[in-house]
Amino acid sequence: MLLQIVQNITLITALAAIYSIFPQLSYKRNPRFILANGLIFGLVAIIAMSMPYVAEEGLIYDGRSIVMALAGIFTAPVSALLAALIAAVFRAFAIGGAGTIPGILTIFEATGIGVLMHHWNDKHKITLGFSSLLFFGLVIHLLMLAAQLTLPNERWRTVIPAIAPAVLTIYPVGLALTGTLFVQNKKHIEEHFQLKESESRYRSIFENHHTIMLISDPDTGSIFDANPAAIEFYGWSKSQMLHMNQSDLRASSPEPFDDSPATGSNTGEALNVLHRLQSGEIREVAVFSGPIEYAGKTLTFSIVQDTTEQRKAERLVRQLNQTLEQKVKDRTQELEQANNELKAFAYSVSHDLRAPLRAIEGFSSLLREHVEGHLDGTSLHYLDRIVYNSEKMGTLIDALLRLSRVTSQPIVFTNVDLSVIARETISELQQVEPERHVDVFIQDELTARADAALIRILLSNLLGNAWKFTSKAQVASIRFEASQSNTAERVFVVSDNGVGFDMAYADKLFSPFQRLHTETEFPGTGIGLSLVQRIITRHGGKIWAKASPSHGAQFFFTLGDGNEQVNI
């Protein structure tokens, strides 16, 4: 009996060898291979039954249970069923005898358990091991022994004790060993198909992609393959390129060329080089290289990108940037020169113009004292106008100087409490006009990063204007508060219920010496809001206003991020 079992297991091992030689047999979705699998396993089962251990006429034992179990586990269910039908028909009609029923039962129970194991393995995606195959082998052959109970005349009583030791030891081990071989073959087959599929995808990309691709020997530089895009770009035929070397494509630079450092052909880094085409034209290219397994060899895969136009554009941009930088430098020098001239002008105004003004004012006062009582009222009025306008000219000169200083002096950013400065400003205004009663609201803790001295000038002008333009209101009201804008930037607001102004003239508000009210109504230099705008602009902020005649005005302003000054 042992010899026949060894012969059967050897036969099944040969079946596994067939699958390793013809891996496409395991491709279960092809109808031809499904049919071929069923026929092969059915044929092997027939061969196994042709070399049996014969207990008596019509009662044989062989390796068909192992064959059917392997068919169920490793082939499509249709293939396993076809193999089982072939084996069952052969057992029933070619052999027959008393063991026909248990023989056919063994064929179908081994096939059925194999199919169940196949589905369980597919569902859980678990690689079958020797121990799991051994367990299923025991189950299958226990059922095989149970099938012997169908033998006529209770012959199982003598048969089962005779075959049980071999059926429960050699058969399960034989199934586990041959099954393990099939598992290994299956793994190799899957890797084989994956590799073929990967190579097919690579070949499709390589042949159809518009990117220039080359494959070369990393040691010699010989070109192993070139895709159609490379053939079109370089101009040589494919047969010519396959006889060329990577060095044949390199060209000497006719002018300085910015090569990136080359640290090797397989670094995966881009290398900027010059390549020569078949026409003799030189092109600037970036080469990206890396190792690739191709046809069983480790080769260098290179992607070549034509960067000629790109690098021309980059050089043009660099040239334009250099030109722009020079223009900015020249413009900065011009602005610095203009600022210096403005400072010189301010100095001239401060010193050269004040002396004549003081002389006019002084001699006019002396003349008035000298001729007082000798001139009529009209003449005295003329002298008063000379003195008044001299003083006004001095005031305007002071305003111009303040405007110049605000533009040129550096900003020192600190944490400033605008509420405190606003209250101090209102207090000074109340001391000048103690008889006025103004309803003032100043929001607490209005803080910002700003220049404290400039903020004092800013609030002095805004609150001073509000105080001045509410002088004719029956119940004057001034408010200073803040809110958040849509951009989360804090917006400060100075509002009043004074005379207001027509928004049609709002564009004149921040221009020097532009007034929306006559000097007889509301005296002033017309330069205060220009100072305010320049202070806010230098802080990186902005200012705008809303108003209507006889309904007051609102001035909104921001102070930037409080980190960087803006030069104007």
Coordinates of all heavy atoms in Angstrom, one line a residue, residues 248-330:
D248 N 27.6 60.7 -26.4 CA 27.5 61.2 -27.7 C 26.5 62.3 -27.8 O 26.5 63.1 -28.8 CB 27.1 60.1 -28.7 CG 28.1 59.0 -28.8 OD1 29.3 59.3 -28.6 OD2 27.8 57.8 -29.0
L249 N 25.6 62.4 -26.8 CA 24.6 63.4 -26.8 C 25.1 64.7 -26.2 O 24.5 65.8 -26.5 CB 23.3 63.0 -26.1 CG 22.6 61.7 -26.6 CD1 21.5 61.3 -25.7 CD2 22.2 61.9 -28.0
R250 N 26.1 64.6 -25.4 CA 26.6 65.8 -24.7 C 27.3 66.7 -25.7 O 27.9 66.3 -26.7 CB 27.6 65.4 -23.6 CG 27.1 64.7 -22.5 CD 26.3 65.6 -21.5 NE 25.9 64.9 -20.3 CZ 26.5 65.0 -19.2 NH1 27.7 65.6 -19.1 NH2 26.1 64.3 -18.1
A251 N 27.2 68.0 -25.5 CA 27.8 69.0 -26.3 C 28.6 70.0 -25.5 O 28.2 70.3 -24.4 CB 26.8 69.7 -27.2
S252 N 29.7 70.5 -26.0 CA 30.5 71.6 -25.4 C 29.7 72.9 -25.4 O 29.0 73.2 -26.4 CB 31.8 71.8 -26.0 OG 32.6 70.5 -25.9
S253 N 29.7 73.6 -24.4 CA 29.0 74.9 -24.3 C 29.7 76.0 -25.1 O 30.9 76.2 -24.8 CB 28.8 75.3 -22.9 OG 28.2 76.6 -22.8
P254 N 29.1 76.6 -26.0 CA 29.7 77.7 -26.8 C 29.8 79.0 -25.9 O 30.5 79.9 -26.3 CB 28.8 77.9 -28.0 CG 27.5 77.5 -27.5 CD 27.7 76.4 -26.5
E255 N 29.1 79.0 -24.8 CA 29.2 80.2 -23.9 C 29.0 79.6 -22.5 O 28.6 78.5 -22.3 CB 28.1 81.2 -24.3 CG 26.7 80.6 -24.2 CD 25.6 81.5 -24.6 OE1 26.0 82.6 -25.1 OE2 24.4 81.2 -24.5
P256 N 29.3 80.4 -21.5 CA 29.2 79.9 -20.1 C 27.8 79.4 -19.8 O 26.8 80.0 -20.2 CB 29.5 81.2 -19.3 CG 30.3 82.1 -20.1 CD 29.9 81.8 -21.5
F257 N 27.8 78.2 -19.2 CA 26.5 77.5 -19.0 C 26.4 77.1 -17.5 O 27.4 76.6 -17.0 CB 26.4 76.3 -19.9 CG 25.1 75.6 -19.7 CD1 23.9 76.1 -20.2 CD2 25.1 74.3 -19.2 CE1 22.7 75.4 -20.0 CE2 23.9 73.6 -19.1 CZ 22.7 74.2 -19.5
D258 N 25.3 77.4 -16.9 CA 25.1 77.1 -15.5 C 24.8 75.7 -15.2 O 23.6 75.3 -15.2 CB 24.1 78.1 -14.9 CG 23.9 77.9 -13.4 OD1 24.8 77.4 -12.8 OD2 22.8 78.2 -13.0
D259 N 25.7 74.8 -15.1 CA 25.5 73.4 -14.8 C 25.2 73.2 -13.3 O 25.9 73.8 -12.5 CB 26.7 72.5 -15.2 CG 26.6 72.0 -16.6 OD1 25.6 72.4 -17.3 OD2 27.5 71.3 -17.0
S260 N 24.2 72.5 -13.0 CA 24.0 72.1 -11.6 C 25.0 71.0 -11.3 O 25.4 70.2 -12.2 CB 22.6 71.6 -11.4 OG 22.3 70.5 -12.1
P261 N 25.5 70.9 -10.0 CA 26.5 69.9 -9.7 C 26.0 68.5 -10.0 O 24.9 68.1 -9.6 CB 26.8 70.1 -8.2 CG 25.6 70.9 -7.7 CD 25.0 71.7 -8.9
A262 N 26.9 67.7 -10.6 CA 26.6 66.3 -10.9 C 27.2 65.4 -9.9 O 28.4 65.4 -9.7 CB 27.1 65.9 -12.3
T263 N 26.3 64.7 -9.2 CA 26.9 63.8 -8.1 C 26.7 62.3 -8.5 O 26.9 61.5 -7.6 CB 26.1 64.1 -6.8 OG1 24.7 63.9 -7.0 CG2 26.4 65.5 -6.3
G264 N 26.3 62.0 -9.7 CA 26.2 60.7 -10.1 C 24.9 60.5 -11.0 O 24.0 61.3 -10.9
S265 N 24.9 59.5 -11.8 CA 23.8 59.3 -12.7 C 22.5 58.7 -12.1 O 21.5 58.8 -12.6 CB 24.2 58.4 -13.9 OG 24.6 57.2 -13.4
N266 N 22.7 58.2 -10.9 CA 21.5 57.5 -10.3 C 21.1 58.2 -9.0 O 20.5 57.5 -8.1 CB 21.9 56.0 -10.0 CG 22.1 55.2 -11.2 OD1 21.5 55.5 -12.2 ND2 23.0 54.2 -11.1
T267 N 21.3 59.5 -8.9 CA 20.9 60.2 -7.7 C 19.5 60.6 -7.7 O 18.9 60.9 -6.6 CB 21.8 61.4 -7.5 OG1 21.6 62.3 -8.6 CG2 23.3 61.0 -7.4
G268 N 18.8 60.6 -8.8 CA 17.4 61.1 -8.9 C 17.4 62.6 -9.0 O 16.3 63.2 -9.0
E269 N 18.5 63.3 -9.0 CA 18.5 64.7 -9.0 C 18.7 65.2 -10.5 O 19.1 64.5 -11.3 CB 19.7 65.3 -8.2 CG 19.7 64.9 -6.7 CD 21.0 65.4 -6.0 OE1 21.8 66.0 -6.7 OE2 21.0 65.2 -4.8
A270 N 18.2 66.4 -10.7 CA 18.2 66.9 -12.1 C 19.6 67.4 -12.4 O 20.3 68.0 -11.5 CB 17.2 68.1 -12.2
L271 N 20.1 67.2 -13.6 CA 21.4 67.6 -14.0 C 21.2 68.5 -15.3 O 20.6 68.0 -16.3 CB 22.3 66.4 -14.4 CG 23.7 66.7 -14.9 CD1 24.5 67.4 -13.8 CD2 24.4 65.5 -15.3
N272 N 21.6 69.7 -15.2 CA 21.5 70.6 -16.4 C 22.7 70.5 -17.3 O 23.8 70.7 -16.8 CB 21.4 72.1 -15.9 CG 20.1 72.3 -15.1 OD1 19.0 71.8 -15.5 ND2 20.2 73.1 -14.1
V273 N 22.4 70.0 -18.5 CA 23.5 69.8 -19.5 C 23.1 70.4 -20.8 O 21.9 70.8 -21.0 CB 23.8 68.3 -19.6 CG1 24.4 67.8 -18.3 CG2 22.6 67.5 -20.0
L274 N 24.0 70.3 -21.8 CA 23.8 70.7 -23.1 C 23.8 69.4 -24.0 O 24.7 68.6 -23.9 CB 24.9 71.6 -23.7 CG 24.9 73.0 -23.0 CD1 26.1 73.8 -23.5 CD2 23.6 73.8 -23.3
H275 N 22.7 69.2 -24.8 CA 22.6 68.0 -25.7 C 22.6 68.5 -27.1 O 22.0 69.6 -27.4 CB 21.4 67.2 -25.4 CG 21.6 66.2 -24.3 ND1 20.6 65.3 -24.0 CD2 22.6 66.1 -23.4 CE1 21.1 64.5 -23.0 NE2 22.2 65.0 -22.6
R276 N 23.3 67.7 -28.0 CA 23.4 68.1 -29.4 C 22.4 67.2 -30.1 O 22.3 66.0 -29.9 CB 24.8 67.8 -29.9 CG 24.9 68.1 -31.4 CD 26.4 68.0 -31.9 NE 26.9 66.6 -31.6 CZ 27.8 66.3 -30.7 NH1 28.3 67.2 -30.0 NH2 28.2 65.1 -30.6
L277 N 21.6 67.8 -31.0 CA 20.7 67.1 -31.9 C 21.3 66.6 -33.1 O 22.5 67.0 -33.5 CB 19.5 68.0 -32.2 CG 18.8 68.7 -31.0 CD1 17.5 69.4 -31.5 CD2 18.4 67.7 -29.9
Q278 N 20.7 65.7 -33.9 CA 21.2 65.2 -35.2 C 21.5 66.3 -36.1 O 22.4 66.3 -36.9 CB 20.2 64.2 -35.7 CG 20.8 63.4 -36.9 CD 20.5 64.0 -38.2 OE1 19.7 64.9 -38.3 NE2 21.3 63.6 -39.3
S279 N 20.7 67.4 -36.1 CA 20.8 68.6 -37.0 C 22.0 69.4 -36.6 O 22.4 70.3 -37.3 CB 19.5 69.4 -36.9 OG 19.3 69.9 -35.6
G280 N 22.6 69.2 -35.4 CA 23.7 70.0 -35.0 C 23.3 71.1 -34.0 O 24.1 71.8 -33.4
E281 N 22.0 71.3 -33.8 CA 21.5 72.3 -32.9 C 21.8 71.9 -31.4 O 21.7 70.7 -31.1 CB 20.0 72.5 -33.1 CG 19.4 73.5 -32.1 CD 17.9 73.6 -32.3 OE1 17.3 72.8 -33.1 OE2 17.3 74.4 -31.6
I282 N 22.2 72.9 -30.6 CA 22.5 72.6 -29.2 C 21.3 73.1 -28.4 O 20.7 74.2 -28.5 CB 23.7 73.4 -28.8 CG1 24.9 73.1 -29.7 CG2 24.0 73.1 -27.3 CD1 25.3 71.6 -29.6
R283 N 20.8 72.2 -27.5 CA 19.6 72.5 -26.6 C 20.0 72.3 -25.2 O 20.8 71.4 -24.8 CB 18.5 71.5 -27.0 CG 18.0 71.5 -28.4 CD 17.4 72.8 -28.8 NE 16.1 73.0 -28.2 CZ 15.3 74.1 -28.4 NH1 15.7 75.0 -29.2 NH2 14.1 74.2 -27.8
E284 N 19.5 73.2 -24.4 CA 19.7 73.0 -22.9 C 18.6 72.1 -22.4 O 17.4 72.3 -22.6 CB 19.6 74.4 -22.3 CG 20.6 75.4 -22.7 CD 20.4 76.8 -22.1 OE1 19.8 76.8 -21.0 OE2 20.9 77.8 -22.7
V285 N 19.1 71.1 -21.6 CA 18.1 70.1 -21.1 C 18.4 69.8 -19.6 O 19.5 70.1 -19.1 CB 18.2 68.8 -21.9 CG1 17.8 69.0 -23.3 CG2 19.6 68.2 -21.7
A286 N 17.4 69.4 -18.9 CA 17.5 68.9 -17.5 C 17.2 67.4 -17.6 O 16.2 66.9 -18.1 CB 16.5 69.6 -16.6
V287 N 18.2 66.6 -17.0 CA 18.1 65.2 -17.1 C 17.8 64.7 -15.6 O 18.6 64.9 -14.7 CB 19.4 64.6 -17.6 CG1 19.3 63.0 -17.7 CG2 19.7 65.1 -19.0
F288 N 16.7 63.9 -15.5 CA 16.4 63.3 -14.2 C 16.6 61.8 -14.4 O 16.0 61.2 -15.3 CB 14.9 63.5 -13.9 CG 14.5 65.0 -13.8 CD1 14.2 65.7 -14.9 CD2 14.5 65.6 -12.6 CE1 13.9 67.1 -14.8 CE2 14.1 66.9 -12.4 CZ 13.8 67.7 -13.6
S289 N 17.5 61.2 -13.5 CA 17.9 59.8 -13.7 C 17.7 59.0 -12.4 O 17.7 59.6 -11.3 CB 19.4 59.7 -14.1 OG 19.6 60.3 -15.4
G290 N 17.4 57.7 -12.6 CA 17.3 56.8 -11.5 C 17.4 55.4 -11.9 O 17.3 55.1 -13.1
P291 N 17.6 54.5 -11.0 CA 17.8 53.0 -11.4 C 16.4 52.4 -11.7 O 15.4 52.8 -11.2 CB 18.4 52.4 -10.1 CG 18.0 53.3 -9.0 CD 17.8 54.7 -9.6
I292 N 16.5 51.4 -12.6 CA 15.3 50.7 -13.0 C 15.7 49.3 -13.3 O 16.7 49.0 -13.8 CB 14.6 51.4 -14.2 CG1 13.2 50.7 -14.5 CG2 15.5 51.4 -15.4 CD1 12.4 51.3 -15.6
E293 N 14.8 48.3 -12.9 CA 15.0 46.9 -13.2 C 14.3 46.7 -14.6 O 13.1 46.8 -14.7 CB 14.4 46.0 -12.2 CG 15.1 46.0 -10.8 CD 16.5 45.5 -10.9 OE1 16.7 44.6 -11.7 OE2 17.4 46.0 -10.2
Y294 N 15.1 46.3 -15.6 CA 14.5 46.1 -16.9 C 15.2 44.9 -17.6 O 16.4 44.9 -17.7 CB 14.8 47.4 -17.7 CG 14.2 47.4 -19.1 CD1 12.9 47.7 -19.3 CD2 15.0 47.1 -20.2 CE1 12.3 47.7 -20.6 CE2 14.4 47.1 -21.5 CZ 13.1 47.4 -21.7 OH 12.5 47.4 -22.9
A295 N 14.3 44.0 -18.0 CA 14.8 42.8 -18.6 C 15.8 42.0 -17.8 O 16.8 41.5 -18.3 CB 15.4 43.1 -20.0
G296 N 15.6 42.0 -16.5 CA 16.5 41.3 -15.6 C 17.8 42.1 -15.3 O 18.7 41.5 -14.6
K297 N 17.9 43.3 -15.7 CA 19.1 44.1 -15.4 C 18.8 45.4 -14.7 O 17.7 45.9 -14.8 CB 19.8 44.4 -16.7 CG 20.3 43.2 -17.6 CD 20.9 43.7 -18.9 CE 21.3 42.5 -19.7 NZ 22.0 43.0 -21.0
T298 N 19.8 45.9 -14.0 CA 19.7 47.2 -13.3 C 20.2 48.2 -14.3 O 21.4 48.3 -14.5 CB 20.4 47.2 -12.0 OG1 19.8 46.3 -11.1 CG2 20.2 48.6 -11.3
L299 N 19.3 49.0 -14.8 CA 19.8 50.0 -15.8 C 19.4 51.4 -15.3 O 18.8 51.6 -14.2 CB 19.1 49.8 -17.2 CG 19.3 48.4 -17.8 CD1 18.4 48.2 -19.0 CD2 20.8 48.3 -18.2
T300 N 19.8 52.5 -16.0 CA 19.5 53.8 -15.6 C 18.4 54.4 -16.5 O 18.5 54.3 -17.8 CB 20.8 54.7 -15.8 OG1 21.8 54.3 -14.9 CG2 20.4 56.2 -15.5
F301 N 17.3 54.8 -15.9 CA 16.2 55.4 -16.6 C 16.3 56.9 -16.5 O 16.4 57.5 -15.4 CB 14.9 54.9 -15.9 CG 13.6 55.5 -16.5 CD1 13.2 55.1 -17.8 CD2 12.9 56.4 -15.8 CE1 12.1 55.7 -18.3 CE2 11.8 57.0 -16.3 CZ 11.3 56.6 -17.6
S302 N 16.3 57.6 -17.6 CA 16.4 59.0 -17.7 C 15.3 59.7 -18.3 O 14.8 59.2 -19.4 CB 17.7 59.4 -18.4 OG 18.9 58.8 -17.8
I303 N 14.8 60.7 -17.7 CA 13.8 61.6 -18.3 C 14.5 62.9 -18.7 O 15.1 63.5 -17.8 CB 12.6 61.9 -17.3 CG1 11.8 60.6 -17.1 CG2 11.7 63.0 -17.9 CD1 10.7 60.7 -16.1
V304 N 14.4 63.3 -19.9 CA 15.0 64.5 -20.5 C 14.0 65.6 -20.7 O 13.0 65.3 -21.5 CB 15.8 64.2 -21.7 CG1 16.5 65.4 -22.2 CG2 16.8 63.0 -21.5
Q305 N 14.2 66.7 -20.1 CA 13.3 67.8 -20.3 C 14.0 69.0 -21.0 O 15.1 69.5 -20.6 CB 12.8 68.3 -19.0 CG 11.8 69.5 -19.1 CD 11.3 70.0 -17.7 OE1 11.7 69.4 -16.7 NE2 10.5 71.0 -17.7
D306 N 13.5 69.4 -22.2 CA 14.1 70.5 -22.9 C 13.8 71.8 -22.2 O 12.6 72.2 -22.1 CB 13.5 70.5 -24.3 CG 14.1 71.6 -25.2 OD1 15.1 72.2 -24.8 OD2 13.6 71.8 -26.4
T307 N 14.8 72.4 -21.7 CA 14.6 73.6 -20.9 C 15.2 74.9 -21.6 O 15.4 75.9 -20.9 CB 15.3 73.5 -19.5 OG1 16.7 73.2 -19.7 CG2 14.7 72.3 -18.7
T308 N 15.4 74.8 -22.9 CA 16.1 75.9 -23.6 C 15.3 77.2 -23.4 O 15.8 78.2 -23.0 CB 16.2 75.5 -25.1 OG1 16.9 74.3 -25.2 CG2 17.0 76.6 -25.8
E309 N 14.0 77.1 -23.8 CA 13.2 78.3 -23.7 C 13.0 78.8 -22.3 O 13.0 80.0 -22.0 CB 11.8 78.1 -24.4 CG 11.9 77.6 -25.8 CD 12.7 78.7 -26.7 OE1 12.5 79.9 -26.4 OE2 13.4 78.3 -27.6
Q310 N 12.8 77.8 -21.4 CA 12.6 78.2 -20.0 C 13.9 78.9 -19.4 O 13.7 79.9 -18.8 CB 12.4 76.9 -19.1 CG 12.3 77.1 -17.6 CD 12.3 75.8 -16.8 OE1 11.9 74.8 -17.4 NE2 12.7 75.9 -15.6
R311 N 15.1 78.4 -19.8 CA 16.3 79.0 -19.2 C 16.5 80.4 -19.9 O 17.1 81.3 -19.3 CB 17.5 78.1 -19.4 CG 17.3 76.8 -18.5 CD 18.6 75.9 -18.7 NE 19.7 76.6 -18.1 CZ 20.1 76.5 -16.8 NH1 19.3 75.9 -16.0 NH2 21.2 77.1 -16.4
K312 N 16.1 80.5 -21.2 CA 16.2 81.8 -21.8 C 15.3 82.8 -21.1 O 15.7 84.0 -20.8 CB 15.7 81.7 -23.3 CG 16.8 81.1 -24.2 CD 16.2 81.1 -25.7 CE 17.3 80.5 -26.6 NZ 16.7 80.4 -28.0
A313 N 14.1 82.4 -20.8 CA 13.2 83.2 -20.0 C 13.7 83.6 -18.6 O 13.6 84.7 -18.2 CB 11.8 82.5 -19.9
E314 N 14.4 82.6 -18.0 CA 14.9 82.9 -16.7 C 16.1 83.9 -16.8 O 16.2 84.8 -15.9 CB 15.5 81.6 -16.1 CG 14.4 80.6 -15.6 CD 14.9 79.3 -15.2 OE1 16.2 79.1 -15.3 OE2 14.2 78.4 -14.7
R315 N 16.9 83.8 -17.8 CA 18.0 84.7 -18.0 C 17.4 86.1 -18.3 O 17.9 87.1 -17.8 CB 18.9 84.3 -19.1 CG 19.8 83.2 -18.7 CD 20.9 83.0 -19.8 NE 20.4 82.4 -21.0 CZ 20.4 81.0 -21.2 NH1 20.8 80.2 -20.3 NH2 19.9 80.6 -22.3
L316 N 16.3 86.2 -19.1 CA 15.7 87.5 -19.4 C 15.1 88.1 -18.1 O 15.3 89.3 -17.9 CB 14.6 87.3 -20.4 CG 13.8 88.5 -20.8 CD1 14.7 89.6 -21.4 CD2 12.7 88.2 -21.8
V317 N 14.5 87.2 -17.2 CA 13.9 87.7 -16.0 C 15.0 88.3 -15.1 O 14.9 89.3 -14.4 CB 13.1 86.6 -15.3 CG1 12.8 87.0 -13.9 CG2 11.8 86.3 -16.1
R318 N 16.1 87.5 -15.0 CA 17.3 88.0 -14.2 C 17.8 89.3 -14.7 O 18.1 90.2 -13.9 CB 18.4 86.9 -14.2 CG 18.1 85.7 -13.3 CD 19.4 85.0 -13.0 NE 20.0 84.4 -14.2 CZ 19.7 83.2 -14.6 NH1 18.9 82.4 -14.0 NH2 20.3 82.8 -15.7
Q319 N 17.9 89.4 -16.0 CA 18.3 90.7 -16.6 C 17.4 91.8 -16.3 O 17.8 92.9 -15.9 CB 18.5 90.5 -18.1 CG 19.1 91.7 -18.8 CD 19.3 91.5 -20.3 OE1 18.8 90.4 -20.8 NE2 19.9 92.4 -21.0
L320 N 16.1 91.5 -16.4 CA 15.1 92.6 -16.1 C 15.1 92.9 -14.7 O 14.9 94.1 -14.3 CB 13.7 92.1 -16.5 CG 13.4 91.9 -18.0 CD1 12.1 91.3 -18.3 CD2 13.5 93.3 -18.7
N321 N 15.3 91.9 -13.8 CA 15.4 92.2 -12.4 C 16.6 93.1 -12.0 O 16.5 94.0 -11.2 CB 15.5 90.9 -11.6 CG 14.1 90.2 -11.5 OD1 13.1 90.8 -11.7 ND2 14.2 88.9 -11.2
Q322 N 17.7 92.8 -12.7 CA 18.9 93.6 -12.5 C 18.6 95.1 -12.9 O 19.0 96.0 -12.3 CB 20.1 93.0 -13.2 CG 20.6 91.7 -12.6 CD 21.6 91.1 -13.5 OE1 21.9 91.5 -14.5 NE2 22.2 90.0 -12.9
T323 N 18.0 95.2 -14.1 CA 17.6 96.5 -14.6 C 16.7 97.2 -13.7 O 16.8 98.4 -13.4 CB 17.0 96.4 -16.0 OG1 17.9 95.7 -16.9 CG2 16.7 97.8 -16.6
L324 N 15.7 96.5 -13.2 CA 14.7 97.0 -12.3 C 15.3 97.5 -11.0 O 15.0 98.6 -10.4 CB 13.6 96.0 -12.0 CG 12.4 96.5 -11.1 CD1 11.7 97.7 -11.6 CD2 11.4 95.4 -10.8
E325 N 16.2 96.6 -10.5 CA 16.9 97.0 -9.2 C 17.7 98.2 -9.4 O 17.8 99.1 -8.5 CB 17.9 95.8 -8.8 CG 17.1 94.6 -8.3 CD 18.0 93.4 -8.1 OE1 19.2 93.6 -8.3 OE2 17.5 92.3 -7.7
Q326 N 18.4 98.4 -10.6 CA 19.1 99.6 -10.8 C 18.2 100.8 -10.9 O 18.5 101.9 -10.4 CB 19.9 99.5 -12.1 CG 20.9 100.6 -12.4 CD 21.9 100.8 -11.3 OE1 22.5 99.9 -10.8 NE2 22.1 102.1 -10.9
K327 N 17.0 100.6 -11.6 CA 16.1 101.7 -11.7 C 15.6 102.1 -10.3 O 15.4 103.3 -10.0 CB 14.9 101.3 -12.6 CG 15.3 101.3 -14.0 CD 14.0 100.9 -14.9 CE 14.4 101.0 -16.4 NZ 13.2 100.6 -17.2
V328 N 15.3 101.1 -9.4 CA 14.8 101.4 -8.1 C 15.9 102.1 -7.3 O 15.6 103.1 -6.6 CB 14.4 100.0 -7.4 CG1 14.2 100.3 -5.9 CG2 13.2 99.4 -8.0
K329 N 17.2 101.7 -7.5 CA 18.3 102.3 -6.8 C 18.4 103.8 -7.3 O 18.5 104.7 -6.4 CB 19.6 101.6 -7.1 CG 20.8 102.1 -6.4 CD 22.0 101.3 -6.7 CE 23.2 101.8 -5.9 NZ 24.4 101.0 -6.3
D330 N 18.3 104.0 -8.6 CA 18.3 105.4 -9.1 C 17.2 106.2 -8.6 O 17.3 107.4 -8.2 CB 18.3 105.3 -10.6 CG 19.6 104.7 -11.2 OD1 20.6 104.6 -10.5 OD2 19.5 104.3 -12.4

